[in-house]
Amino acid sequence: EAGVAQSPRYKIIEKRQSVAFWCNPISGHATLYWYQQILGQGPKLLIQFQNNGVVDDSQLPKDRFSAERLKGVDSTLKIQPAKLEDSAVYLCASSRGVQQYFGPGTRLTVL
Amino acid sequence: AQKVTQAQTEISVVEKEDVTLDCVYETRDTTYYLFWYKQPPSGELVFLIRRNSFDEQNEISGRYSWNFQKSTSSFNFTITASQVVDSAVYFCALRNIIQGAQKLVFGQGTRLTINP
């Protein structure tokens, strides 16, 4: 069974630019999560989708972050415009039951 | 509110030593799940174990063991006879059991270094 796929693996941008990350969950997993992991900290949930509907986006900075999951499969997370403090690893996870399976993450550096 | 505290930021031991990683949690929920994840240098979070709040049995899996004590809100992780391959950042996490609200609340992580 293929795992959670994410791309790109690394991205370097300058502040005020925009960036997008892509996630392909494990086949059949209805729930998809985006987490932000700042260096030296644990991951923090940004948004949770159930199929293509949002379940929890309470910690998503909606003035600059947006996410969508069209057709209930792949998802895209966008940042526009990026700030220095957005430098982090963005982890995508998916689940069918209790267990969440994580992708390799996208490491974003904002200069 | 839910909170997970891993007081040990970094631990360094010599190979073959036993090491215990501490985890203390806070929640108002009466039922919840607790997890341990391993994050090697590659960055991917690797699931190690999940416990339900109503199951306080300790668990052993090879060199790994977990001690869950509801009375002290702790879920500690012990590696026996540590190996260099155990070097990683380890995260403890908490999740409630309510349908729909499934976010994992992570601790800050403990960076474990096993020296040869």
Side-chain angles (χ1 to χ4, degrees), chain B:
Chain B
Q2 298 179 319
K3 184 179 179 182
V4 176
T5 302
Q6 296 178 253
Q8 305 148 310
T9 305
E10 294 191 35
I11 299 176
S12 181
V13 300
V14 177
E15 201 172 17
K16 297 182 184 174
E17 285 186 17
D18 299 347
V19 58
T20 296
L21 308 182
D22 297 333
C23 172
V24 174
Y25 62 92
E26 297 174 29
T27 180
R28 284 179 286 194
D29 297 324
T30 54
T31 54
Y32 46 88
Y33 292 110
L34 293 164
F35 301 80
W36 275 96
Y37 282 88
K38 175 181 180 179
Q39 190 172 45
S42 60
E44 194 161 338
L45 280 166
V46 178
F47 165 78
L48 294 177
I49 191 172
R50 178 184 86 218
R51 302 299 291 171
N52 300 327
S53 55
F54 41 85
D55 180 4
E56 286 193 67
Q57 268 193 332
N58 292 327
E59 182 153 341
I60 298 174
S61 176
R63 297 184 296 107
Y64 295 172
S65 62
W66 291 268
N67 184 331
F68 175 29
Q69 294 201 349
K70 212 167 177 179
S71 60
T72 56
S73 297
S74 65
F75 186 41
N76 297 337
F77 173 30
T78 297
I79 302 175
T80 303
S82 60
Q83 299 177 2
V84 173
V85 293
D86 296 326
S87 296
V89 181
Y90 289 85
F91 291 96
C92 181
L94 170 70
R95 204 210 93 173
N96 64 27
I97 297 183
I98 297 172
Q99 195 74 358
Q102 299 170 9
K103 76 176 180 184
L104 287 168
V105 175
F106 286 86
Q108 311 92 300
T110 297
R111 180 176 297 278
L112 177 63
T113 302
I114 310 297
N115 299 298

